Amino acid sequence: MTAELVRGQNHPLSQTRLEIRVSAGTPIVAGATLGDDEGRIHGVEWVAHPGAPTLPGLEVSRQAAADHRLAVDLDAMPESVHRVSVLLALPAGVGGPTRFGAVATPFVAVTGLDGTEVASYTITGLEAESAVVALELYRRQDAWKVRAIGQGYAGGLADLLTDQGLSQAHQLAGSINEAVAQGMARSVPAPSARTDGDRSRQAAAPALGPEQGGSAPQSSSGAVPQQPTSPYGTQTPGAPGQSAPQMPYQGPTGTGDPAQPSTPTSGGPIDYSHPRRRNAAPPPPPPTAPPAQPGQPAQPVAGDATGWSMDERLYNQVWGMFEDLARTTAAYRSAVDFADSRMDKELDQVLSDPRSRIGGQGDAAREAAEAKHAQLVSQARATLDRDLAQLTAEAEVVEPALPPAYARWDNPVWHGYRVPMEIPMAVRLGDLHLPESTQLRIPMLIRLPLERGLWIDSGRSGSIDGSFTDAHDLRRLAMETAVAHAARLLAVHPAGEFTVHVADPAGSGAQALVPLVQSGALAGPPAVGAGGVADVLARLTQRVDLVQMALRAGAPDSLPPDFDTSQQLLIVNDFPHGFDDRAVNQLRYLADEGPAVGVHLMMVADREEAAAYGPLLDPLWRSLLRLTPVPDDHLADPWVGHAWTYEPSLVPPGSQVLQQVLRQVAEARAKYR
């Protein structure tokens, strides 16, 4: 049972691996500090914040957002740490609210990895404060507890950190605000106020983020669905230490964040307009839809969204379809829940009166309650079916118009493929759908450049019902999925701007790698054996070190003249077989530091086979976006936590489109050299 805390109240923690979920009505910064037995911070390295989001046993969000998920592993905390303080702050210098009294009351919940809420705290009484210590986890006699704090600071992060004994408080507060300001373009705005009863589609922000989210939509009945466990639930959880699992649109985690959905109602058709860039010069006019017949909704048109190019308009339109489907499904589920609770209440009233438990009066009351329930559910389903029909019509128009980066492999656009001259906004890694609308697929678009690696789960747990039991076939399919993703990434980048390496110690992925090897699209032959793996890992690790040193010195031009500036992707097959402890540490280093300097991982692995490493590899799994080679419902959206079923984007059997595309990529690469 959840403990609803008040200020100063504490509650014991029976679990050591937890999530701390934060909800607010506006983008805020979430961080955490580690304290000794007196609650004092020993240095800036004891503070987790968007500029430095990971500490041993702790991981926080990388940017401002309306919702956050912080990962905590109390067993991984150093012995010198006795207190973990969760802090919230309003972003400074970005034109947003400057005091908590002007925004919605923040809500903080401590949950287990399965989403079970352990304790919650609504932070009330804030006025002029712009930073607040929400709660703390503290160690007392080898046991951990949570305490509601709610201590606000009008002087912001600087005063908060100073109060915790940090001598460099003002410098660190400035660096946090700077990191947040740089990422505000990817932050999650608050839900827009609605002035009408229509379910108008809101603008989609550039990209999504794993721990990000917004307010749950309401149904016309006023019922608000509880926030369920998140995957994008979330993906397979691990110990903290790296970026949190992504949500369906990354971003997501993360790679940016979508705008919040507005509150849906049960009336009115979907408005296909996309208000965006309100403060910018108007973009090129989108195509106009044919006039609607009286009493009929407007016909959807591909690219009917704001943006400076057709690719951007299509990207925003796909995001809008995702948001509309999430909202209308949430409204339907909320209405069904309301109908269920109403019928239960009416039946309880009937049964509470002994005179009406038996006989005709009781039967009539039960029949009336059931009839009302059926009517409410039928009305909700009719509204859902109407919205699904409109979204399906839009999908049928949008799908054929998508460019190669957004299109399925069976789209005819690939037959006219040419190597692009510039990097697209995003790339398609699969499709998403919900149980209420299995035929309606929404493209899963991930922003470029990648901000985290990918993990293709080759374990049996990767299938939605566990029915895929042939381990060999599942590994083969996982490797084919990795090859399809790598080929798409190569295809959507200009010549010479994306390089793929492969580490296949045992050579078990040779058959699946044939398209990449025979086309010449790889940077070199796949690395086999322990020596080959060590060589490719050493080269990529050295690359990360060189770029980091150049950037820290403020001299990126000092890199060697022959330095390859393209984005690098390393496909790792059959991990952990063939990897020694040094190679494992190098992989963790690349997962942590690589994305910031253009080095990315694509792991094809079964987590259970690496269980011998224990929690050592938990940060590695958490840092990667988990994808599956078969349909699986491990992803959840950041607003209402729908469990979205993910299906990978695979090449149709017998199709030669992959080989044709890779040949063009290899030819363009050879000319580029």
Side-chain angles (χ1 to χ4, degrees):
M1 185 174 183
T2 303
E4 297 182 1
L5 306 180
V6 297
R7 182 173 298 178
Q9 184 180 0
N10 61 41
H11 185 75
L13 295 174
S14 59
Q15 306 176 54
T16 57
R17 296 176 65 183
L18 305 164
E19 277 190 348
I20 299 175
R21 304 185 180 186
V22 180
S23 298
T26 190
I28 61 173
V29 181
T33 61
L34 305 182
D36 57 18
D37 54 353
E38 296 181 355
R40 301 185 68 82
I41 306 173
H42 286 199
V44 295
E45 66 274 11
W46 282 43
V47 182
H49 56 85
T54 59
L55 292 177
L58 179 63
E59 178 190 42
V60 304
S61 304
R62 297 174 181 265
Q63 62 190 64
D67 279 18
H68 292 272
R69 292 172 184 259
L70 284 62
V72 180
D73 187 353
L74 297 175
D75 285 340
M77 292 291 172
E79 288 295 326
S80 56
V81 173
H82 290 259
R83 190 173 302 179
V84 180
S85 299
V86 177
L87 57 93
L88 310 177
L90 293 169
V94 295
T98 58
R99 60 187 186 90
F100 276 109
V103 301
T105 302
F107 174 82
V108 185
V110 179
T111 74
L113 293 183
D114 59 355
T116 303
E117 203 166 275
V118 178
S120 63
Y121 174 42
T122 302
I123 310 172
T124 59
L126 299 178
E127 290 296 338
E129 296 88 345
S130 58
V132 60
V133 178
L135 51 78
E136 66 179 15
L137 312 178
Y138 64 101
R139 193 198 317 247
R140 187 67 51 83
Q141 298 178 346
D142 295 330
W144 286 90
K145 296 183 178 182
V146 57
R147 177 187 289 126
I149 302 297
Q151 176 62 54
Y153 296 84
L157 283 172
D159 284 4
L160 185 155
L161 296 171
T162 300
D163 193 45
Q164 295 197 4
L166 182 64
S167 58
Q168 309 98 317
H170 286 81
Q171 296 92 320
L172 180 58
S175 65
I176 293 174
N177 289 329
E178 181 180 355
V180 171
Q182 292 175 354
M184 280 302 288
R186 301 191 304 271
S187 64
V188 182
S192 303
R194 300 307 311 273
T195 58
D196 60 322
D198 198 8
R199 188 183 290 118
S200 297
R201 178 172 299 160
Q202 301 300 306
L208 68 87
E211 65 277 350
Q212 316 307 334
S215 304
Q218 294 180 334
S219 70
S220 57
S221 65
V224 182
Q226 292 185 344
Q227 189 78 359
T229 305
S230 174
Y232 226 104
T234 54
Q235 303 179 28
T236 304
Q242 301 305 327
S243 57
Q246 297 270 343
M247 310 308 268
Y249 280 93
Q250 168 178 318
T253 99
T255 58
D257 307 283
Q260 300 296 336
S262 56
T263 304
T265 66
S266 60
I270 296 175
D271 181 357
Y272 290 102
S273 63
H274 292 248
R276 189 160 186 235
R277 298 186 184 273
R278 298 182 185 276
N279 298 323
T288 57
Q293 297 297 323
Q296 298 294 324
Q299 295 298 312
V301 172
D304 187 17
T306 56
W308 296 94
S309 66
M310 177 57 79
D311 283 4
E312 184 177 2
R313 293 198 293 268
L314 287 169
Y315 174 84
N316 290 337
Q317 189 170 14
V318 169
W319 262 111
M321 293 164 61
F322 173 80
E323 293 173 358
D324 280 340
L325 182 55
R327 287 198 299 268
T328 191
T329 304
Y332 168 72
R333 293 179 181 179
S334 179
V336 172
D337 289 343
F338 172 77
D340 291 342
S341 63
R342 175 171 178 164
M343 183 176 68
D344 291 342
K345 182 179 179 181
E346 292 177 350
L347 292 177
D348 287 343
Q349 291 176 346
V350 172
L351 296 176
S352 64
D353 187 353
R355 295 171 299 179
S356 60
R357 289 179 186 172
I358 57 176
Q361 183 179 358
D363 293 340
R366 279 189 287 270
E367 291 176 359
E370 292 170 355
K372 184 61 176 178
H373 174 272
Q375 179 185 4
L376 291 174
V377 172
S378 176
Q379 291 175 350
R381 186 69 210 193
T383 300
L384 175 66
D385 289 342
R386 180 201 63 199
D387 291 343
L388 291 180
Q390 294 186 39
L391 286 170
T392 300
E394 185 174 16
E396 291 173 350
V397 172
V398 169
E399 189 68 47
L402 295 176
Y406 304 169
R408 290 196 300 254
W409 283 110
D410 58 359
N411 192 312
V413 71
W414 284 105
H415 296 291
Y417 168 78
R418 295 292 181 270
V419 177
M421 300 299 292
E422 59 183 19
I423 300 175
M425 290 184 62
V427 65
R428 183 176 189 161
L429 293 184
D431 295 331
L432 300 168
H433 66 85
L434 291 171
E436 289 84 356
S437 53
T438 57
Q439 300 303 314
L440 178 58
R441 295 323 202 245
I442 305 295
M444 178 177 169
L445 303 182
I446 302 298
R447 283 298 299 265
L448 293 176
L450 296 174
E451 293 190 8
R452 67 190 308 184
L454 305 175
W455 165 29
I456 314 301
D457 189 355
S458 60
R460 295 184 183 182
S461 60
S463 62
I464 193 170
D465 56 2
S467 59
F468 205 107
T469 57
D470 191 316
H472 176 75
D473 286 348
L474 193 58
R475 288 193 184 96
R476 173 187 55 78
L477 186 58
M479 196 59 190
E480 291 177 356
T481 302
V483 169
H485 290 330
R488 182 182 289 269
L489 288 167
L490 280 167
V492 302
H493 282 80
E497 293 195 18
F498 197 84
T499 304
V500 177
H501 311 265
V502 176
D504 188 18
S508 59
Q511 181 178 357
L513 289 168
V514 166
L516 289 174
V517 174
Q518 289 187 349
S519 65
L522 293 178
V528 296
V533 171
D535 179 65
V536 69
L537 288 176
R539 284 188 283 112
L540 291 176
T541 301
Q542 183 184 38
R543 173 191 174 86
V544 173
D545 291 338
L546 283 174
V547 177
Q548 283 186 338
M549 287 189 293
L551 293 177
R552 289 168 182 168
D557 295 336
S558 64
L559 292 168
D562 59 345
F563 187 83
D564 182 6
T565 59
S566 65
Q567 298 276 312
Q568 307 286 312
L569 175 69
L570 173 61
I571 303 176
V572 178
N573 184 38
D574 214 15
F575 178 82
H577 305 296
F579 290 80
D580 56 20
D581 290 344
R582 176 180 174 82
V584 170
N585 287 330
Q586 287 175 318
L587 279 177
R588 287 188 55 184
Y589 177 72
L590 292 177
D592 291 349
E593 307 294 337
V597 293
V599 178
H600 313 282
L601 285 181
M602 183 183 291
M603 302 281 292
V604 182
D606 180 359
R607 186 173 183 174
E608 293 183 1
E609 294 183 353
Y613 286 94
L616 175 67
L617 290 181
D618 283 348
L620 175 64
W621 305 121
R622 289 188 64 87
S623 68
L624 304 174
L625 171 61
R626 177 177 174 251
L627 303 175
T628 55
V630 292
D632 185 62
D633 59 351
H634 68 285
L635 303 179
D637 65 63
W639 307 290
V640 292
H642 290 325
W644 292 79
T645 296
Y646 165 80
E647 291 189 22
S649 179
L650 299 177
V651 180
S655 173
Q656 296 298 309
V657 65
L658 187 67
Q659 290 80 354
Q660 295 171 5
V661 168
L662 288 175
R663 277 198 297 270
Q664 291 196 43
V665 169
E667 292 171 0
R669 181 186 178 91
K671 294 178 181 178
Y672 175 80
R673 291 175 178 173

